[in-house]
Amino acid sequence: MEEKVRRIFVCSDSVGETANSVVQATIRQFNASQVHVKRLGPCVRSMKSN
């Protein structure tokens, strides 16, 4: 049986290195061989709401 590919999107206000490290550590806790991590950033530019 083929394992389903899981996608994790990492949004960050910078380059996303810390968030990506957290995701990688989390993935290691599970049997997740088919995981694709996509970094998106910078996603947050300010704390002001429009």
Side-chain angles (χ1 to χ4, degrees):
M1 182 190 227
E2 192 172 316
E3 188 175 333
K4 183 177 179 178
V5 175
R6 308 285 181 183
R7 288 180 178 80
I8 299 173
F9 295 90
V10 179
C11 291
S12 177
D13 61 345
S14 188
V15 294
E17 289 181 28
T18 302
N20 189 60
S21 295
V22 171
V23 169
Q24 295 299 328
T26 303
I27 290 171
R28 286 188 210 106
Q29 301 292 319
F30 302 96
N31 183 17
S33 60
Q34 296 292 329
V35 175
H36 177 76
V37 178
K38 173 70 177 172
R39 281 199 226 175
L40 304 172
C43 294
V44 178
R45 295 180 191 259
S46 73
M47 296 299 290
K48 291 172 60 175
S49 61
N50 294 342

